[in-house]
């Protein structure tokens, strides 16, 4: 059927209409810069397209000569020569088409390869802020569908425009050179064919979109109500009849749409076939009258050529009517991709970044102010010092800014005011890779890759020996678990570590950080997701580690707090108290309150778990 036909891609959605890209010289230049490295191949493609489009028309012209040869009872030799020539031309044009297709795909793939890599590299340099404020789905769409879109633009839109223009021009020139009356008639017939098919196409497209939306709705209902938690909710609230009605309603809407869509397809097909047969008949009729009455020079072959060429006009005309849509869509694609490229890299290595030979892991905050969003300051004038080999526990109510403080050390974010030093050097002047290599974080939300325990551990130290892996597991109190698995270190952890319990995951991530062997260890203690026994096991693991290296602990449990050399109490982004447990607990301030409400409970829980275990 028609190339780039009217069946779907030919219309802009309301959203696309509202967000028409601004096409500037700068944008075009930028797009061109991606094509430039491949200009030689592009020229070759241009030539191939021009040549194959022209060749593809030639058999239609030869048909005319074959018909004339027959009508005039020319020697058989000539007839055979014409037939062979026609076949040969078709084969040649198709062969060129194959080569052109290869070149096209090659260029499109290479250009998108460059773009994809550049985008990935750029995204990796984006700050934590970018990833927390952007929807992950959007980021992935940019990386996949948008770039695939570019590939489509290069490999198909571009070629189809060119070949359509050439085909159309050449066909019209040939037709007019035979008979201007018939050619004009042919041109006048085109709208008869094009307008109804476009109408039918648009109707069908609208219906398809409607049924897609309906399908999404149905899937939504299924996902919501046929999941374990969804079903529990439905059952507990006795909503079965309601959900059934909702599903039935969506389902019957879908049926109506599907039937209408299928009928629109039939109409579309009917209109198309009717008009494509009316055209040739008209040409035969008018051609016949001309030939018999007015134009002695006109031959049967000429009329045959006209009819053959007429059918080759429809496709290109239809495609070219879609150019504007294709153009807007392509520009929107490029604009979206370039918008991503233009996002500034917020956290970068300073030009004169230093890489010291070693660091002691000491940290000092001096009058640090920080906000995630301009209008809401999170940290206010935070100052503290952590000497090498010592440990600090940060405690405070939920949302007080504890995690925020530690995020500033490896520069996941940059503070807006004050300075932070690591090993005595301002973190903004330190080489980023060096800084991050020397800060190890065991976070609450442990992230494991889908792979084996071994692979997850080796991520921290790719050249670790078996003995080192075992030692790290032992220290992290996870060795017994590993050994209890049939496949030991080669046990799969599942997607994001789903096959492990929360406590096992956290101990595994302690082992991972131990292999990294950072100068500063940051431990973000889980608040409540774990049961007391797992907590106790983590505790056993973490305490000796704290003793032997510089560490910061975001602590929720008294035993962790007691293991630290100093306690910082944070409230609403400020350090409100600091000191040792014994003094703080007597002060009657924030710490005392936390002690009464949180820590005591935790002690009781751990004690009861231990009793339970020993019983
Ligand atoms: P918890 O003990 O519950 O983990 P926390 O003391 O570690 O809490 P933070 O995570 O540092 O608290 O959060 C401090 C404040 O900053 C909170 O009010 C939170 O809503 C806000 N916040 C945290 N992360 C972001 C972010 N990426 N963008 C905007 N605001 C944030």
């Amino acid at each position: 059927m028609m190339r780039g036909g009217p069946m779907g891609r030919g219309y802009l959605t309301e959203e696309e209409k509202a967000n028409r890209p601004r096409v500037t010289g700068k944008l075009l230049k930028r797009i061109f810069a991606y094509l430039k490295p491949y200009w030689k191949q592009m020229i070759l493609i241009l030539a191939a397209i021009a040549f194959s489009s022209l060749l593809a028309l030639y058999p239609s012209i030869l048909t005319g000569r074959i018909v004339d040869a027959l009508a005039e009872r020319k020697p058989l030799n000539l007839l055979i020569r014409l037939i062979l020539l026609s076949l040969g031309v078709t084969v040649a044009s198709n062969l060129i088409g194959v080569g052109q297709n290869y070149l096209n795909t090659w260029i499109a793939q290479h250009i998108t390869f460059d773009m994809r890599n550049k985008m990935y590299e750029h995204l990796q340099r984006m700050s934590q802020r970018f990833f927390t404020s952007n929807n992950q789905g959007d980021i992935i769409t940019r990386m996949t569908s948008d770039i695939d879109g570019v590939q489509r633009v290069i490999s198909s839109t571009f070629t189809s425009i060119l070949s359509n223009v050439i085909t159309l021009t050449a066909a019209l020139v040939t037709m007019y050179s035979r008979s201007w009356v018939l050619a004009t008639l042919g041109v006048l017939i085109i709208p008869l064919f094009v307008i109804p098919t476009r109408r039918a196409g648009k109707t069908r497209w609208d219906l398809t979109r409607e049924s897609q939306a309906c399908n999404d709705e149905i899937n939504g209902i299924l996902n919501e109500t046929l999941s374990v938690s969804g079903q529990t909710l439905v059952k507990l609230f006795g909503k079965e009849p309601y959900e059934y009605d909702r599903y039935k309603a969506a389902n019957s809407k879908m049926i109506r749409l599907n039937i209408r869509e299928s009928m629109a397809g039939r109409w579309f097909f009917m209109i198309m076939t009717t008009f494509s047969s009316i055209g040739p008949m008209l040409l035969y009729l008018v051609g016949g009258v001309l030939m018999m009455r007015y134009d002695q020079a006109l031959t049967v072959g000429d009329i045959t050529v006209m009819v053959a060429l007429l059918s080759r006009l429809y496709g290109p005309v239809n495609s070219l009517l879609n150019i504007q849509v294709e153009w807007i869509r392509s520009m929107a694609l490029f604009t979206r991709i370039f918008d991503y490229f233009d996002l500034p890299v917020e956290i970068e290595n300073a030009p004169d970044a230093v890489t010291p030979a070693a660091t002691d892991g000491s940290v000092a905050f001096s009058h640090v102010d920080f906000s995630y969003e301009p209008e809401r300051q999170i940290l206010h004038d935070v100052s503290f010092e952590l000497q090498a080999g010592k440990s600090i526990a940060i405690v405070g109510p939920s949302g007080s800014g504890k995690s925020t403080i530690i995020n500033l050390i490896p520069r996941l974010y940059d503070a807006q005011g004050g300075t932070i030093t690591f090993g005595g050097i301002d973190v903004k002047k330190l080489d980023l890779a060096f800084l991050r290599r020397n800060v190890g974080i065991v976070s609450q939300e442990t992230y494991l890759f889908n792979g084996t325990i071994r692979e997850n551990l080796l991520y921290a130290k790719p050249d670790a020996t078996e003995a080192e892996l075992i030692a790290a597991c032992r220290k992290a109190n996870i060795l017994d678990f590993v050994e209890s698995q049939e496949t030991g270190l080669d046990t799969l952890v599942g997607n994001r570590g789903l096959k492990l319990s929360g406590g096992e995951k956290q101990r595994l991530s302690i082992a991972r950080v131990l292999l990294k062997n950072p100068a500063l260890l940051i431990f973000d203690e889980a608040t409540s997701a774990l049961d007391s026994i797992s907590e106790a096991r983590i505790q056993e693991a973490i305490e000796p580690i704290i003793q032997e290296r510089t560490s910061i602990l975001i602590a929720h449990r008294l035993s962790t707090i007691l293991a630290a050399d100093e306690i910082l109490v944070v409230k609403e982004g400020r350090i409100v108290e600091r000191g040792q447990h014994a003094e703080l607990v007597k002060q009657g301030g924030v710490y005392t309150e936390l002690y009464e409400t949180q820590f005591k409970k935790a002690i009781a829980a751990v004690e009861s778990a231990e009793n339970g275990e020993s019983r």
Side-chain angles (χ1 to χ4, degrees):
M1 247 184 7
M2 286 158 291
R3 257 180 273 180
M7 297 280 291
R9 296 175 36 77
Y11 309 94
L12 290 177
T13 59
E14 292 306 317
E15 197 189 339
E16 282 173 319
K17 278 186 204 155
N19 300 319
R20 260 168 211 244
R22 253 168 39 83
V23 180
T24 57
K26 213 173 128 223
L27 176 69
L28 295 178
K29 238 177 159 166
R30 230 173 142 177
I31 297 173
F32 190 68
Y34 279 91
L35 309 181
K36 214 172 152 192
Y38 306 102
W39 69 272
K40 280 185 203 148
Q41 287 90 337
M42 299 257 277
I43 289 187
L44 205 60
I45 288 190
L46 290 186
I49 292 174
F51 197 55
S52 73
S53 316
L54 288 177
L55 271 189
L57 282 182
Y58 200 51
S60 303
I61 297 166
L62 281 176
T63 311
R65 292 188 55 192
I66 293 173
V67 170
D68 282 342
L70 289 173
E72 292 161 24
R73 298 180 178 275
K74 290 271 170 62
L76 204 55
N77 249 350
L78 179 70
L79 184 67
I80 292 172
R81 275 221 310 275
L82 284 173
I83 289 172
L84 287 180
L85 183 61
S86 177
L87 286 176
V89 167
T90 309
V91 171
S93 140
N94 286 338
L95 278 180
I96 295 175
V98 172
Q100 172 205 324
N101 196 5
Y102 169 76
L103 259 181
N104 242 329
T105 317
W106 189 91
I107 293 186
Q109 289 291 345
H110 277 75
I111 291 173
T112 47
F113 172 82
D114 297 344
M115 268 193 174
R116 242 183 259 276
N117 290 345
K118 203 174 153 194
M119 177 89 99
Y120 188 79
E121 201 193 4
H122 184 68
L123 287 179
Q124 276 193 320
R125 288 165 64 211
M126 289 280 98
S127 68
Q128 202 72 0
R129 190 188 304 279
F130 170 81
F131 292 100
T132 47
S133 56
N134 280 283
N135 184 337
Q136 193 192 357
D138 287 348
I139 301 176
I140 293 184
T141 306
R142 226 44 87 94
M143 277 295 301
T144 52
S145 328
D146 283 0
I147 297 192
D148 284 345
V150 165
Q151 185 182 316
R152 207 173 46 238
V153 168
I154 298 168
S155 69
S156 89
T157 312
F158 167 74
T159 354
S160 96
I161 291 177
L162 197 72
S163 83
N164 285 328
V165 168
I166 294 173
T167 310
L168 200 62
T169 319
L172 284 175
V173 167
T174 320
M175 284 170 80
Y176 272 96
S177 68
R178 296 286 151 122
S179 155
W180 68 267
V181 181
L182 287 184
T184 311
L185 181 67
V187 171
L188 290 178
I189 294 171
I190 293 177
L192 277 186
F193 171 80
V194 169
I195 293 170
T197 47
R198 279 184 79 75
R199 274 271 158 79
K202 171 95 169 84
T203 314
R204 183 141 195 231
W205 188 67
D206 288 342
L207 284 171
T208 310
R209 280 167 48 79
E210 233 180 290
S211 78
Q212 259 164 12
C214 187
N215 200 19
D216 289 347
E217 192 188 327
I218 291 181
N219 283 340
I221 297 178
L222 292 180
N223 274 330
E224 266 175 33
T225 59
L226 292 188
S227 63
V228 177
S229 39
Q231 259 304 305
T232 316
L233 191 74
V234 171
K235 286 201 165 79
L236 291 180
F237 282 83
K239 287 284 191 187
E240 291 93 341
Y242 168 78
E243 294 299 350
Y244 176 68
D245 288 343
R246 198 155 74 107
Y247 178 70
K248 206 162 94 178
N251 215 359
S252 57
K253 188 170 156 198
M254 190 73 191
I255 287 190
R256 286 195 300 276
L257 283 171
N258 280 346
I259 294 176
R260 276 176 63 198
E261 190 186 338
S262 152
M263 282 325 287
R266 288 308 307 164
W267 285 118
F268 170 77
F269 192 68
M270 195 210 84
I271 292 169
M272 222 182 66
T273 37
T274 313
F275 279 98
S276 48
S277 58
I278 288 179
M281 293 308 139
L282 264 177
L283 279 186
Y284 282 130
L285 178 69
V286 178
V289 173
L290 277 180
M291 200 175 88
M292 290 172 211
R293 298 269 163 86
Y294 304 99
D295 191 346
Q296 298 300 325
L298 198 67
T299 65
V300 180
D302 286 336
I303 299 174
T304 319
V305 172
M306 290 289 177
V307 172
L309 288 181
L310 181 70
S311 67
R312 310 207 56 136
L313 291 184
Y314 298 144
V317 167
N318 241 322
S319 283
L320 291 175
L321 287 175
N322 289 338
I323 280 191
Q324 196 210 3
V325 168
E326 299 269 354
W327 171 257
I328 290 177
R329 226 170 246 168
S330 317
M331 291 300 125
L333 262 182
F334 280 111
T335 311
R336 275 208 299 274
I337 290 173
F338 291 153
D339 278 351
Y340 253 38
F341 280 146
D342 290 343
L343 291 171
V345 177
E346 281 177 70
I347 294 176
E348 259 186 311
N349 246 351
D352 51 354
V354 286
T355 314
T359 177
D360 58 11
S362 63
V363 174
F365 273 53
S366 161
H367 307 289
V368 171
D369 293 324
F370 175 78
S371 52
Y372 289 104
E373 289 137 9
E375 62 279 4
R376 185 165 160 239
Q377 191 169 340
I378 301 285
L379 297 183
H380 307 261
D381 196 23
V382 170
S383 297
F384 69 89
E385 210 173 306
L386 167 64
Q387 285 165 5
K390 299 282 182 191
S391 56
I392 278 187
I394 304 180
V395 300
S398 173
S400 54
K402 304 180 293 291
S403 310
T404 307
I405 293 179
I406 59 161
N407 282 344
L408 297 180
I409 302 170
R411 288 188 75 196
L412 294 181
Y413 296 90
D414 271 344
Q416 284 92 6
T419 45
I420 300 169
T421 60
F422 182 72
I425 303 168
D426 189 337
V427 287
K428 291 185 184 166
K429 302 210 172 89
L430 263 179
D431 178 66
L432 251 189
F434 174 83
L435 172 67
R436 291 182 178 162
R437 197 162 57 238
N438 283 288
V439 177
I441 300 188
V442 177
S443 58
Q444 282 200 32
E445 290 252 335
T446 310
Y447 195 90
L448 297 176
F449 290 105
N450 189 4
T452 60
I453 294 179
R454 182 193 303 279
E455 283 162 354
N456 272 287
L457 292 176
L458 288 178
Y459 197 69
K461 191 179 183 202
D463 59 352
T465 61
E466 189 78 13
E468 282 175 307
L469 295 181
I470 299 285
C473 287
R474 179 172 295 121
K475 257 190 148 171
N477 226 348
I478 186 79
L479 189 63
D480 50 351
F481 169 77
V482 173
E483 284 176 344
S484 73
Q485 300 294 308
E486 240 171 71
T487 38
L489 280 171
D490 296 310
T491 304
L492 288 166
V493 301
N495 199 4
R496 290 172 167 224
L498 277 179
K499 288 190 185 161
L500 305 183
S501 77
E504 285 152 5
K505 268 198 285 191
Q506 201 166 35
R507 278 180 282 150
L508 200 58
S509 90
I510 295 174
R512 183 167 64 182
V513 111
L514 285 172
L515 282 165
K516 184 181 176 183
N517 194 21
L520 171 70
L521 177 88
I522 298 173
F523 178 61
D524 192 349
E525 191 167 43
T527 33
S528 56
L530 305 176
D531 65 82
S532 314
I533 297 175
S534 325
E535 262 166 26
R537 309 239 33 208
I538 294 174
Q539 206 72 50
E540 275 168 41
I542 205 78
E543 269 170 32
I545 299 168
I546 299 168
Q547 302 308 329
E548 64 194 39
R549 70 178 71 213
T550 321
S551 37
I552 299 181
L553 320 153
I554 297 185
H556 304 285
R557 263 161 272 292
L558 193 61
S559 45
T560 323
I561 300 171
L562 291 178
D565 296 305
E566 193 188 4
I567 304 166
L568 301 181
V569 186
V570 185
K571 189 182 178 192
E572 289 166 7
R574 288 193 169 80
I575 296 182
V576 286
E577 290 162 21
R578 64 180 83 198
Q580 306 290 326
H581 171 74
E583 328 154 4
L584 289 174
V585 86
K586 275 188 259 158
Q587 278 179 10
V590 179
Y591 187 81
T592 317
E593 201 185 318
L594 283 169
Y595 176 70
E596 295 292 338
T597 56
Q598 272 190 24
F599 309 152
K600 260 188 175 170
K601 253 194 269 166
I603 305 173
V606 172
E607 276 170 359
S608 77
E610 278 168 359
N611 290 341
E613 217 176 4
S614 59
R615 229 180 278 142

